[in-house]
Amino acid sequence: MTNSSDHPLRADAITAQKVLVLDFGSQYAQLIARRVREQHVYCEIVRHDLPIERIRELAPAGLILSGGPASVYADSAPRCDPAIFQSGIPVLGICYGMQLACNALGGEVGSATSREYGRAMLDVIADDPLFAQVPAHSEVWMSHGDQVTEVSADFVTLAKTTTCPLAAVKHTSLPVYGMQFHPEVTHSAHGGTMLSNFLRHACGCTGSWRLDDFAAAAIEKIRQQVGSGRVICGLSGGVDSAVVAALLSRAIGDQLSCILVDNGLLRKNEAATVIEEFTNHFRTDLHVVKGEDRFLEMLAGVTEPQEKRRRIGQAFVDCFTEEASRIQGVRFLAQGTLYPDVIESGASADGPAATIKLHHNVGGLPEKLDFQLIEPLRDLFKDEVRQLGLQLGLPERIVWRHPFPGPGLAVRCLGEVTKPRLETIREADAIVLEEIDKAGLSRKVSQAFAVLLPVQSVGVMGDCRTYDDALAVRAVETEDFMTADWSHLPYEVLASISSRVINEVRGINRVVYDISSKPPATIEWE
């Protein structure tokens, strides 16, 4: 498969004003980019060592240097091209980024006398557009062991905290700013205002990034790229593939064929919902592959999580390839790759250098399919994809569906995967989601699901002794899914879930609640 361009659906008019985030390994780099886009300014994450020549080619309105775990004074510390500070391009350094900027322009960085991790009170001590509409005293989020201990005479101090006298600074003659705290996190009460001030006052951005403009440009680009050709798109029941299919349906109509592999590992009624939406509403040429028996056969006797994933992936490729070969004239394959997938897979030439993981969308289907790849959501974050889905007319039940792993219920059915165990976890999972939705918490909770454990315990139902399975309930809240906190669900909701599961789902006599955060735990159990 080939990709027609690095950025197949970018419209220059929409992204004429863009900001680049130079990534120094911060867990918040993606969050910075999302916060910038919330200000209607297009933003991309790029490698920290991008040379000034390449940066000039990208023509950004501004640069943001992210935080990072290193110490500026360490020999192995990641650094940027120092020429960016003299380039005239506005620069905002955040945490490590501030330390790097100040150090490059004559300042000193050292280990903080009193390290700050968590909330701190920021005192604004200078009148500057960077802090326009920001109270003189406000709460910010600190996360640093090092800090700038001294700046050159070319810097002025804008804000401080009790233990950080140089909490925010700016250069007197260069458009270089620094913040020791993290304005991008929600714990910084007025962080959004500070970022908006940098974008508008320092960078001159007017806020032209709009998803409805993106949709119109994407539809036109798809039409130009596809021409009279046929496109296939795999539907999984998740929001990403559904939005891709809806966008393609709007762009090329009956030139789109969708393939849904019903592998028997989907959530309750998921296949039926997808079939209804993409036959009745979008009237797509939908091909449904009944693959449950094949998948169960491949999974028989397998308990090791990675082997489950490998076999499921192979079975999916086989089913998809066989069905695709029956569709005449296919030249293009559409996938629901998102911007975080591109970043984390190292699939962008200018993106972060380290490959965190190989995402299933970016890894893709085998080369032998020989299709041109269309990835219309490649530049979008998850929340932007949801907004786009609503604009395209997808129902909320699809757009706001909680994320679901590619291997499906197989990795939520710990131990051997069998049809009876899948039916058990499917029914229990549906109850978990129903009760959370009934309590009005579906949007607050980022992801919720049930996990069937290969653990039996003694119970009593009526006058009979039972020895049945235990079920774990998992619910998390997160903004980027790279870190997550367990959801503090009300006791009444947990009680309803437990009561319904034990009474309505045969084979379960005990329900437990997972109160682990990520890290150290992952969101999924396998």
Side-chain angles (χ1 to χ4, degrees), residues 346-369:
S348 173
D350 292 325
T355 297
I356 301 170
K357 66 179 180 181
L358 184 62
H359 189 273
H360 66 91
N361 278 345
V362 178
L365 291 162
E367 294 288 336
K368 65 182 181 181
L369 291 180

Side-chain angles (χ1 to χ4, degrees), residues 36-90:
V36 171
R37 291 193 188 186
E38 286 173 4
Q39 301 295 332
H40 302 296
V41 175
Y42 185 75
C43 186
E44 290 182 3
I45 301 173
V46 298
R47 300 198 321 267
H48 65 271
D49 58 352
L50 215 59
I52 187 61
E53 293 79 14
R54 177 56 181 155
I55 289 176
R56 289 193 185 281
E57 288 175 4
L58 295 171
L63 302 173
I64 298 178
L65 313 186
S66 82
S71 292
V72 167
Y73 45 79
D75 292 338
S76 60
R79 305 185 189 282
C80 60
D81 187 335
I84 68 172
F85 301 117
Q86 306 290 339
S87 67
I89 303 171

Side-chain angles (χ1 to χ4, degrees), residues 433-510:
L433 295 175
E434 284 170 15
E435 289 300 316
I436 288 175
D437 185 58
K438 190 187 299 182
L441 298 173
S442 288
R443 301 281 183 90
K444 183 175 186 292
V445 174
S446 305
Q447 188 171 359
F449 54 91
V451 181
L452 186 62
L453 306 180
V455 175
Q456 290 75 45
S457 65
V458 174
V460 177
M461 299 186 78
D463 293 324
C464 300
R465 175 186 182 275
T466 62
Y467 192 62
D468 289 329
D469 289 332
L471 185 89
V473 175
R474 179 75 158 142
V476 298
E477 294 172 22
T478 178
E479 291 195 343
D480 55 14
F481 288 90
M482 299 183 75
T483 62
D485 292 324
W486 60 277
S487 295
H488 293 237
L489 294 181
Y491 289 150
E492 315 86 74
V493 175
L494 292 173
S496 295
I497 290 172
S498 177
S499 176
R500 283 194 60 194
V501 167
I502 291 173
N503 282 287
E504 298 177 27
V505 183
R506 289 186 176 276
I508 296 175
N509 67 357
R510 191 176 299 271

Side-chain angles (χ1 to χ4, degrees), residues 424-438:
T424 297
I425 183 64
R426 187 174 287 115
E427 292 299 321
D429 185 73
I431 290 172
V432 171
L433 295 175
E434 284 170 15
E435 289 300 316
I436 288 175
D437 185 58
K438 190 187 299 182

Side-chain angles (χ1 to χ4, degrees), residues 290-349:
K290 297 291 186 180
E292 181 181 29
D293 292 342
R294 178 183 293 194
F295 279 81
L296 286 175
E297 183 179 343
M298 291 275 281
L299 289 168
V302 178
T303 59
E304 204 277 321
Q306 286 303 99
E307 182 61 16
K308 284 183 185 178
R309 290 176 178 272
R310 189 192 69 78
R311 294 193 180 203
I312 291 168
Q314 184 58 55
F316 173 81
V317 168
D318 291 344
C319 289
F320 192 94
T321 304
E322 290 170 10
E323 191 61 32
S325 68
R326 299 187 180 99
I327 303 173
Q328 297 298 313
V330 177
R331 292 174 49 206
F332 302 91
L333 170 67
Q335 290 193 146
T337 306
L338 304 190
Y339 192 43
D341 305 334
V342 176
I343 296 167
E344 294 174 4
S345 66
S348 173

Side-chain angles (χ1 to χ4, degrees), residues 279-291:
T279 53
N280 297 334
H281 182 76
F282 287 100
R283 300 189 182 282
T284 306
D285 175 34
L286 178 61
H287 298 244
V288 180
V289 180
K290 297 291 186 180

